[in-house]
Amino acid sequence: MSTHDRPSLGISLRILAGLLSAGMFICVKAAGPDVPLGEVVFFRSFFAVIPLTLFLWVRGEFPHGLATQKPFQHLLRSSFGAIALFTSFAALTYLTLAEALLIAQLSPMLMAVGAVVLLSERLTVWRTAGVTVGFFGVIVLVWPELGNGSSDSTRVWGIGLALVSAVLSALALIMVRSLNKTESPGAIAMYFVIASMVGALCTLPWGWVVPDVPTTAMLIGAGLFGGFGHIALTLSFRYAEASRLAPFEYVALFWPILADLFIFRLNLSASFLLAAPLILAGAVIAAGERNRSAEMR
């Protein structure tokens, strides 16, 4: 077993990353639609630099840890991630928090398949079953919203943006796994936030606003949650294969559901009660691969 092959740690970090990411999206949603998209992305990226810099400093990798032998791959990964960040935040304008993040959960399926094709990773029966069951749970959860025949143009925009975000996120996460073999996790995250900041600054001519104190606090919180979440996410791919982590992406579905229920005061849907066991079952099935491997040793 490789020193970096620690699936339990990788899975734990992936679940933590989902929780921190939910905190980021809650802050973005709470900031409201009056703050321009580019300004939201800038705040999220700028304040994410703080935890990322601390992370590099604690590891003794600042600033030399930012050196890279693969600048083009960093540029490509950062571009995918930055555009995915823009589209995911934009989707929140047209959809509820839960809806936007649920549709974004298509990315684990795409990531698992893409990792097999692009990284030559194994797609075991356990991983296939975990992804399939979890994805079916997503379908059960989202289908009442997508199949009720009442979608309008704004919801179509929101769904389209969330789907674009899912595809780009899957590509970015696959590249994170590849870069983790030779590059510092802090450097991978830092180049991503720098690319996002540069992209956000390009929107300045379209007008930014001066937010009030509560809104500013939400924007700063989005950056801090996003920065720490990105560290946890990047590290998770150092300790476990992308295809193995894919089913555990679905656990992150519960945080926006709980946020809509307790923070934004939305009712818990019947589809959630049907989908929750399926989503949890996907994670349990994937975890069963580790138990089975341990028994065979």
Side-chain angles (χ1 to χ4, degrees):
M1 178 181 289
S2 169
T3 57
H4 286 168
D5 187 14
R6 300 170 61 186
S8 295
L9 179 58
I11 289 167
S12 298
L13 286 167
R14 183 63 194 90
I15 293 173
L16 175 61
L19 179 59
L20 293 170
S21 177
M24 176 190 71
F25 280 103
I26 290 169
C27 288
V28 170
K29 187 73 173 178
D34 296 331
V35 182
L37 177 61
E39 187 173 357
V40 173
V41 172
F42 179 82
F43 267 87
R44 184 265 183 235
S45 303
F46 181 82
F47 284 97
V49 171
I50 297 174
L52 292 176
T53 302
L54 289 173
F55 176 70
L56 287 170
W57 180 74
V58 169
R59 289 169 61 94
E61 298 178 356
F62 187 82
H64 68 275
L66 297 177
T68 177
Q69 300 175 353
K70 300 179 178 180
F72 177 74
Q73 285 185 255
H74 276 289
L75 177 63
L76 193 60
R77 176 268 179 275
S78 298
S79 298
F80 285 146
I83 299 173
L85 191 64
F86 269 90
T87 52
S88 63
F89 286 175
L92 292 177
T93 304
Y94 305 103
L95 303 172
T96 67
L97 177 66
E99 288 172 342
L101 296 188
L102 290 177
I103 297 172
Q105 293 306 312
L106 292 169
S107 63
M109 180 188 68
L110 300 173
M111 180 181 67
V113 175
V116 173
V117 175
L118 300 176
L119 302 182
S120 299
E121 291 189 359
R122 296 172 297 123
L123 190 61
T124 66
V125 173
W126 290 89
R127 298 177 196 183
T128 302
V131 171
T132 301
V133 174
F135 179 67
F136 184 69
V138 175
I139 295 296
V140 171
L141 196 56
V142 177
W143 185 256
E145 298 295 334
L146 303 183
N148 58 15
S150 60
S151 61
D152 54 31
S153 59
T154 58
R155 287 187 56 77
V156 171
W157 269 106
I159 293 169
L161 289 166
L163 288 173
V164 170
S165 179
V167 173
L168 294 175
S169 294
L171 292 173
L173 291 175
I174 290 170
M175 295 200 68
V176 166
R177 175 64 178 173
S178 178
L179 285 168
N180 254 324
K181 297 176 181 177
T182 58
E183 305 291 294
S184 162
I188 296 171
M190 186 67 79
Y191 287 126
F192 162 67
V193 298
I194 291 173
S196 299
M197 278 196 290
V198 171
L201 285 172
C202 292
T203 69
L204 190 57
W206 282 271
W208 286 9
V209 299
V210 179
D212 57 24
V213 174
T215 301
T216 301
M218 290 295 102
L219 293 173
I220 293 174
L224 295 176
F225 277 123
F228 283 113
H230 203 89
I231 291 170
L233 176 65
T234 303
L235 283 174
S236 72
F237 285 97
R238 169 157 288 197
Y239 296 115
E241 293 180 347
S243 54
R244 183 163 199 172
L245 290 175
F248 294 91
E249 298 259 351
Y250 296 116
V251 177
L253 288 173
F254 291 101
W255 313 130
I257 293 292
L258 294 176
D260 278 341
L261 182 63
F262 295 107
I263 297 176
F264 300 108
R265 302 298 181 183
L266 299 177
N267 293 326
L268 188 65
S269 66
S271 60
F272 170 75
L273 298 176
L274 295 173
L278 293 170
I279 295 167
L280 283 176
V284 170
I285 291 171
E289 179 188 6
R290 174 173 174 267
N291 296 332
R292 182 179 177 87
S293 298
E295 291 174 358
M296 294 176 64
R297 290 194 185 100

